[in-house]
Amino acid sequence: MSYENLLIENRNGVLWVTVNRPDKLNALNRRTLGELDHFITSAGEDETVFAVVVTGAGEKAFVAGADIGELSTLDPVEAKAFSLRGQAVFDRFERLAKPVVAAVNGFALGGGCELAMACHLRVAARNAVFGQPEVKLGLIPGYAGTQRLPRLVGKGRGLEILLTGRNVSAEEAERIGLVNSVCDQPELVATVDKLLGKILANGPLAVSHCIEAVNHGLDLPFEDACLLEATLFGIGAASEQMSEGTSAFLEKRKPVFRS
Ligand code: COA
């Protein structure tokens, strides 16, 4: 598939995908959502890809939401399908068995905030602005914002942000756990590179199992989630990566997980 609204850069096995509709503040229209779907599916299947970073073109916006022009014409049946479609695409980001980081470089509103929340980790530039302003349009978030936001920041805070539709600064987002870290805009790429450098030095299977345990475990009763953890722990014990990691420790050397 050739992409009209995405730019892809492969940086040593880390795929940087840039949503590229700067004249519309990178708003997600149907075409762009379809391209993101194709992109994330391909990234999951490609064994030479180790991680994904999502960002927006320009210095003003990450993604300023779903395309309001398209939203405004939906009938109820189309609107439900629109919501389910976006939820499914964002689920694929969350469920990728490789780290997915949002490099939030500006407005992350509505679908943009939801896309960032579907990523495993979020690094924000100091000028980033988060929010779910859908209520101001007479809508509710449709790409799982009502679910991921309270899971990240707690029910009370999540509801307050959803009900007011107010903006959340990068600084506040860090304080309430909506983002992992904040940096100056020019440092965004380097900060994400550094974070991924630390993650990708670890056992890839272990990293992937952590993602799976957290993603699936949080939606299970605690006992079942712990059983899932034990099962993944057991599978890890059969891997060469565990053998390499533990041997390296005992031999007082650094492990080499990727050749
Ligand atoms: N959908 C469609 N177009 C959008 C958009 C969206 N979610 N967000 C911004 N745009 C477009 C604007 O319509 C404008 O297009 P135009 O130049 O053809 O008129 C362009 O992007 C620039 O936006 P503008 O509003 O002029 O920039 P600003 O700096 O004054 O304001 C925002 C920036 C983010 C505060 C403002 O664009 C905004 O509120 N966007 C909508 C956010 C939102 O409600 N998102 C949730 C949608 S469900």
Side-chain angles (χ1 to χ4, degrees):
M1 182 180 194
S2 67
Y3 299 131
E4 266 175 29
N5 299 327
L6 301 181
L7 302 172
I8 315 292
E9 189 191 354
N10 189 331
R11 294 160 58 100
N12 299 321
V14 176
L15 280 192
W16 282 68
V17 55
T18 302
V19 180
N20 185 35
R21 292 183 79 211
D23 54 325
K24 295 292 177 193
L25 303 187
N26 307 321
L28 298 179
N29 59 3
R30 277 195 192 84
R31 168 92 203 184
T32 312
L33 193 67
E35 291 184 5
L36 282 172
D37 191 7
H38 184 273
F39 162 79
I40 200 67
T41 303
S42 312
E45 288 166 357
D46 187 340
E47 287 180 4
T48 66
V49 172
F50 307 134
V52 166
V53 181
V54 187
T55 194
E59 295 197 347
K60 192 166 169 184
F62 173 72
V63 166
D67 191 303
I68 297 171
E70 285 188 355
L71 272 183
S72 63
T73 61
L74 299 175
D75 69 26
V77 173
E78 290 168 342
K80 182 178 177 188
F82 175 95
S83 173
L84 289 172
R85 168 93 176 109
Q87 289 171 358
V89 174
F90 287 10
D91 266 359
R92 286 192 255 291
F93 280 75
E94 186 169 54
R95 293 190 182 276
L96 201 78
K98 311 167 188 188
V100 182
V101 180
V104 185
N105 56 312
F107 287 112
L109 298 175
C113 190
E114 290 167 307
L115 175 59
M117 291 191 294
C119 297
H120 302 136
L121 302 171
R122 285 152 292 284
V123 178
R126 219 166 288 285
N127 66 311
V129 175
F130 296 81
Q132 297 288 164
E134 286 88 345
V135 285
K136 295 183 176 178
L137 301 169
L139 300 164
I140 69 166
Y143 291 171
T146 63
Q147 301 310 305
R148 289 201 175 94
L149 182 62
R151 280 170 170 76
L152 273 171
V153 304
K155 184 176 171 185
R157 269 200 186 108
L159 266 173
E160 188 255 321
I161 293 165
L162 289 164
L163 299 185
T164 60
R166 72 175 174 86
N167 286 345
V168 176
S169 68
E171 199 175 51
E172 181 185 359
E174 185 180 30
R175 184 164 48 77
I176 66 178
L178 181 52
V179 301
N180 297 83
S181 64
V182 175
C183 62
D184 292 333
Q185 173 115 17
E187 305 302 319
L188 188 58
V189 171
T191 305
V192 172
D193 278 346
K194 197 170 164 194
L195 174 65
L196 276 174
K198 284 185 189 162
I199 295 171
L200 296 179
N202 298 324
L205 189 65
V207 166
S208 160
H209 281 169
C210 281
I211 292 169
E212 191 178 340
V214 171
N215 273 344
H216 290 270
L218 282 183
D219 294 329
L220 292 174
F222 189 76
E223 200 181 335
D224 295 343
C226 285
L227 182 60
L228 170 66
E229 181 187 85
T231 304
L232 293 170
F233 189 86
I235 292 170
S239 73
E240 277 183 24
Q241 291 168 25
M242 176 167 158
S243 169
E244 167 62 9
T246 51
S247 304
F249 176 82
L250 296 173
E251 293 161 15
K252 302 190 185 305
R253 62 176 174 83
K254 280 198 169 173
V256 181
F257 292 114
R258 295 180 202 275
S259 48

